[in-house]
Amino acid sequence: MTTGGTGRAADGTDDKGGVRTALAGLTTRGRSFLAAGVAAAVCAYVLGQSDLLRVGLLLAVLPLVCATVLYRTRYRVAGSRRLSPARVPAAGEARVHLRIENVSRLPTGLLMLQDRVPYVLGPRPRFVLDRVEAGGRREVSYRVRSDLRGRYPLGPLQLRLADPFGMCELTRSFSTYDTLTVIPRVEPLSPVRFGGEAKGYGDGRQRSPALAGEDDVIPRGYRYGDDLRRVHWRSTARYGELMVRREEQPQRSRCTVLLDTRGVAYAGAGRDSAFEWAVSGTASVLVHMLERGFSVRLLTDTGSSLPGEGGDGFAGASQETADAAGLMMDTLAVIDHSDGTGLSRAYDVLRGGNEGLLVAFFGDLDEEQATVAAKMRHRSGGAIAFVLDSGTWLREPADVPGESDDSARRLRLLREAGWTVVRVPRGAALDTLWRAADHSRSGLTTTGGEGTR
């Protein structure tokens, strides 16, 4: 991402507003010289010392002359910014490249370059640039890092001009800025296959008509360019026109990832909170399923979804996979708690059709919401629930009590409905829980009993 803006270091105007601007740019040194000169001139007038008066005038005039010359100096400086990369995971670093170009016919004086960045990205970067010749350019760079996901503005770029004596400084700002997107951390997941899960692209049992694939006994009319070896002679004789066998392709398997964003379902805040773990887990599963060739959809408790093209979700294992993952990561970068208290809206969306594999990240569930979540299982080919007890994330591991009877009853309600339930303790690794869900699901498929977790 590159942006540029051109501005003048000084306008060269001499109206009252310009005079006030120039005087406001006096540094501590300049104000001290001016005050000392005025004091010396007053003392010289009172004492009748002409030599002291000349010294006072010199001290007072020097900062005023520097401010006037600096303000009336016409510099035309272009600035640009480039982010590398513009999208980084939480706790990752991005480098910001700044370029300043002197597009005027006069060399510049001493320049101080400053870029505005949010506090969470680190200290505000400042650079001192020596004289820039006419048509010359200077390039500097700095690093930014954030442990919290989000979208952070960078800019506008500020250019500060100073005279050689350090008496006056004037600041000019460019109008352009860039945005750094900090996405959730994505953890690589093991390529497991859950029992009862439909396979991904190329291995599915369900098939749909397309333009390439295996034979189908249903014929269609001949089209220019069709392979004559696919002519269906029996149908040709029946209909009196040339017919060819239709072609088909495997139907892409689907996966819906449900993220519970209810504010009442999570306690605590910060990068190590339960909600941030759920967001990171959602991002990891989305990327993993896209890489496996699934059509993936992101769904929240509010019923809003990010389906991509069509209603089946983003198509994985294609050239658009990276773009699809990027769009979902951008959505998760800014997702926040919702004001809702229930999961009914998400259930209304899910009950509209067969969603294939359903992976859900739940916060605290009361009995009513556990019942709603149990109903979601009926419209999916397989269902895995990661349940975060946010209360345990606020305590030290040694102080965490065992599973309460109410919590165990709600989790049992999900298991009885067919969910593969995995409780998420504080600081757990998602890949470990992912493989545990696979083992638990395999046990359900083999024995027909309850999961082990």
Side-chain angles (χ1 to χ4, degrees):
M1 178 182 295
T2 303
T3 61
T6 301
R8 287 181 180 176
D11 297 328
T13 57
D14 56 355
D15 55 8
K16 295 182 178 180
V19 174
R20 286 195 296 268
T21 302
L23 294 179
L26 290 176
T27 62
T28 303
R29 179 184 299 178
R31 295 175 185 274
S32 300
F33 267 66
L34 182 60
V38 172
V42 171
C43 292
Y45 177 77
V46 173
L47 300 177
Q49 298 289 331
S50 59
D51 293 337
L52 181 61
L53 178 60
R54 286 193 290 268
V55 173
L57 292 178
L58 176 63
L59 293 177
V61 169
L62 180 60
L64 296 178
V65 171
C66 291
T68 303
V69 172
L70 183 64
Y71 185 78
R72 295 183 62 85
T73 301
R74 297 176 180 269
Y75 293 145
R76 295 184 64 243
V77 180
S80 65
R81 181 191 298 103
R82 178 170 57 88
L83 302 182
S84 178
R87 182 190 293 122
V88 295
E93 289 187 349
R95 183 167 289 274
V96 184
H97 301 268
L98 303 177
R99 185 174 69 175
I100 295 298
E101 183 176 1
N102 183 11
V103 296
S104 66
R105 297 181 179 180
L106 297 175
T108 69
L110 189 66
L111 304 178
M112 189 174 79
L113 195 64
Q114 178 177 277
D115 206 10
R116 289 186 177 181
V117 299
Y119 176 76
V120 296
L121 297 183
R124 181 171 295 182
R126 294 182 175 89
F127 304 93
V128 177
L129 304 180
D130 291 332
R131 177 178 178 272
V132 182
E133 64 279 5
R137 65 182 59 178
R138 298 290 186 270
E139 294 186 0
V140 293
S141 64
Y142 64 93
R143 294 179 296 178
V144 290
R145 178 180 181 273
S146 175
D147 293 330
L148 300 176
R149 56 185 175 82
R151 293 172 62 92
Y152 301 101
L154 300 178
L157 189 63
Q158 291 183 329
L159 195 63
R160 182 173 296 179
L161 306 175
D163 66 280
F165 299 101
M167 297 291 179
C168 183
E169 292 182 349
L170 295 180
T171 301
R172 294 292 182 266
S173 297
F174 297 95
S175 59
T176 56
Y177 66 93
D178 291 318
T179 301
L180 175 68
T181 303
V182 181
I183 62 176
R185 291 187 294 268
V186 175
E187 182 177 346
L189 301 180
S190 302
V192 300
R193 171 175 160 78
F194 296 103
E197 168 195 329
K199 296 184 179 180
Y201 182 75
D203 296 325
R205 297 179 181 178
Q206 298 179 350
R207 300 184 179 273
S208 60
L211 300 178
E214 299 178 357
D215 293 343
D216 194 317
V217 296
I218 302 177
R220 62 170 174 81
Y222 175 82
R223 299 171 185 169
Y224 179 77
D226 285 338
D227 191 348
L228 293 178
R229 291 175 296 181
R230 304 191 68 84
V231 174
H232 195 262
W233 297 108
R234 182 178 300 176
S235 298
T236 299
R238 177 182 302 175
Y239 294 103
E241 60 176 323
L242 199 59
M243 306 290 291
V244 296
R245 290 169 291 187
R246 296 182 65 185
E247 300 168 341
E248 62 176 11
Q249 70 178 7
Q251 185 178 14
R252 190 183 303 277
S253 297
R254 293 180 292 177
C255 175
T256 297
V257 183
L258 172 62
L259 174 61
D260 181 8
T261 63
R262 295 173 299 138
V264 297
Y266 299 93
R271 65 176 183 175
D272 296 327
S273 64
F275 181 68
E276 292 301 321
W277 192 98
V279 174
S280 178
T282 300
S284 302
V285 174
L286 286 172
V287 172
H288 177 73
M289 302 310 290
L290 276 173
E291 292 175 348
R292 291 192 58 188
F294 279 71
S295 293
V296 181
R297 180 172 66 168
L298 171 63
L299 180 67
T300 66
D301 59 287
T302 62
S304 60
S305 60
L306 194 64
E309 298 182 0
D312 292 340
F314 284 110
S318 64
Q319 295 181 352
E320 293 79 15
T321 300
D323 295 337
L327 183 56
M328 289 187 175
M329 294 303 103
D330 289 344
T331 302
L332 290 176
V334 296
I335 200 168
D336 201 355
H337 292 295
S338 67
D339 297 331
T341 58
L343 302 171
S344 57
R345 293 182 180 178
Y347 170 68
D348 292 338
V349 175
L350 290 173
R351 70 178 181 179
N354 187 357
E355 298 299 328
L357 178 65
L358 175 59
V359 181
F361 291 84
F362 293 119
D364 294 332
L365 295 174
D366 55 24
E367 187 171 355
E368 179 182 357
Q369 302 311 316
T371 303
V372 175
K375 297 178 182 178
M376 298 179 183
R377 169 64 181 86
H378 303 317
R379 303 302 299 176
S380 61
I384 301 95
F386 295 92
V387 182
L388 291 85
D389 184 1
S390 60
T392 63
W393 288 67
L394 301 177
R395 309 183 184 95
E396 294 297 330
D399 300 332
V400 175
E403 184 176 321
S404 65
D405 293 340
D406 292 339
S407 177
R409 183 170 61 254
R410 293 159 190 165
L411 297 184
R412 184 168 60 251
L413 180 62
L414 296 179
R415 295 190 182 101
E416 291 174 350
W419 285 87
T420 300
V421 181
V422 179
R423 295 184 70 251
V424 181
R426 178 183 176 183
L430 177 61
D431 185 59
T432 302
L433 302 180
W434 184 255
R435 287 184 276 108
D438 173 52
H439 296 157
S440 178
R441 183 66 187 172
S442 300
L444 275 171
T445 305
T446 304
T447 65
E450 292 186 0
T452 58
R453 297 183 66 87

